[in-house]
Amino acid sequence: MKRFTTVTAALVLVTATACGSGGSGETDDGTITMGFAQVGAESGWRTANTESIRQAAEDAGIDLQFSDAQQKQENQIRAIRSYIQQDVDVIAFSPVVETGWDAVLLEAQRADIPVILTDRAIDSDDTSLYETFLGSDFVEEGRKAGQWLVENAEGETNVVELQGTTGAAPAIDRKEGFEEVIAGNPDIEIIATQTGDFTRAGGKEVMEAFLRSHDDIDVVYAHNDDMGLGAIEAIRAAGMEPGEDIRIITVDAVEAGMQALAAGEINFIVECNPLLGEQLMELAEKVVAGEEVPERVVVEETTFTQEEAEAALPDRRY
Ligand code: AHR
């Protein structure tokens, strides 16, 4: 458990009082200001995540300062520095990549502004740089994708992998989990792997290249729905049936992915829940109040077959 120390809490209170009279930060009426540095708008998942955060901030009466990094780490670092200058009460962000955050998070720590990691983790030995991490277990998601394939493989199986953004936690972890599970089955082999940057256009382009250089692809493992949807376009353009001639496994379960699964174009989806807003605001309120929060909050998730997607779609919120 982490605790925002009494000394630090007292400092924030002093800062808040000072800022409340005209600057940023917690105002006289107690309104919390959160600086949120989002990854970008690369996928359906990200759009749903942003909407969830905006809505939850509004519902909680939290003043949200929002920035879109367009999938560039330097933009996110610039946004975090600007939140430090504005003296916000709490900073939350979903890191584009895992490494390279220590310097800017140290600046936030020195300014006594607590940081919450959401969706993606960072790779740092210094866990005092952030209060808590709210997000999915990406390694487990990769394992679930691999498990389905192991259970549904039809003899020798050649897999092509569409990786997420290079250096991003979900790309690293989903690859690791998948490889861990298929390692026990010598019939399953990853014959090509490349990043599609979590976008539909990226997935399509990389899949087109895979199809040009390999005529023996059995399965696509895409690290998100958007890249899987791009792969569907490429497979169709090459005169094949997605979901039949080449089977497709993806991660996310956003609406467009679930519709493709229900239509038989995708064969299996591992859920990654983007609706983190409410939990994030609750954690932020606790952290700013100096209350204890867990170091790690893992999001509950499931998986979907075609039949399960058909049943779930009418009540799906994203
Ligand atoms: O970090 C979550 C991942 O980022 C989602 O799976 C993907 O769609 C997004 O771009």
Side-chain angles (χ1 to χ4, degrees), residues 42-43 45-46 119-120 138 170 174 198 223-224 252 272:
E42 73 281 6
S43 61
W45 189 99
R46 191 64 56 196
D119 164 34
R120 298 181 181 179
F138 296 135
R174 286 173 187 163
F198 279 130
H223 288 189
N224 78 346
D252 275 356
C272 180

Side-chain angles (χ1 to χ4, degrees), residues 89-299:
D89 299 301
V90 55
I91 292 172
F93 80 117
S94 170
V96 176
V97 290
E98 270 190 346
T99 55
W101 299 103
D102 285 39
V104 72
L105 294 189
L106 208 55
E107 289 170 37
Q109 193 176 63
R110 287 191 182 128
D112 283 315
I113 300 175
V115 171
I116 297 176
L117 300 179
T118 172
D119 164 34
R120 298 181 181 179
I122 61 167
D123 182 3
S124 169
D125 292 336
D126 188 355
T127 55
S128 78
L129 293 174
Y130 56 92
E131 299 299 316
T132 180
F133 166 39
L134 162 69
S136 308
D137 181 340
F138 296 135
V139 177
E140 189 54 28
E141 289 173 352
R143 284 192 196 112
K144 287 177 187 169
Q147 195 55 43
W148 182 84
L149 184 57
V150 166
E151 285 163 14
N152 292 276
E154 294 160 355
E156 283 191 10
T157 305
N158 290 336
V159 181
V160 294
E161 181 182 33
L162 296 170
Q163 288 188 47
T165 304
T166 305
I172 295 166
D173 294 353
R174 286 173 187 163
K175 181 171 186 54
E176 181 189 320
F178 185 80
E179 283 179 350
E180 178 192 307
V181 172
I182 64 162
N185 188 327
D187 281 344
I188 302 175
E189 190 190 348
I190 298 176
I191 57 167
T193 178
Q194 200 177 310
T195 179
D197 214 11
F198 279 130
T199 66
R200 190 186 283 224
K204 183 174 180 220
E205 197 180 313
V206 174
M207 191 63 205
E208 283 166 353
F210 284 161
L211 286 164
R212 278 195 297 273
S213 48
H214 300 274
D215 60 3
D216 53 354
I217 301 170
D218 300 304
V219 170
V220 174
Y221 168 43
H223 288 189
N224 78 346
D225 286 346
D226 287 74
M227 292 190 294
L229 293 165
I232 288 173
E233 291 177 34
I235 292 167
R236 271 242 160 78
M240 285 180 275
E241 265 315 303
E244 285 179 23
D245 297 323
I246 296 181
R247 294 194 291 169
I248 303 176
I249 305 166
T250 67
V251 183
D252 275 356
V254 293
E255 194 178 6
M258 291 286 273
Q259 278 166 351
L261 176 58
E265 297 168 328
I266 290 177
N267 304 82
F268 187 67
I269 301 185
V270 178
E271 185 183 45
C272 180
N273 188 350
L275 305 181
L276 306 178
E278 213 177 305
Q279 277 174 292
L280 174 61
M281 298 310 148
E282 282 168 15
L283 286 168
E285 281 166 345
K286 286 190 178 158
V287 161
V288 171
E291 291 173 29
E292 281 187 357
V293 291
E295 281 174 28
R296 176 79 167 102
V297 182
V298 184
V299 182

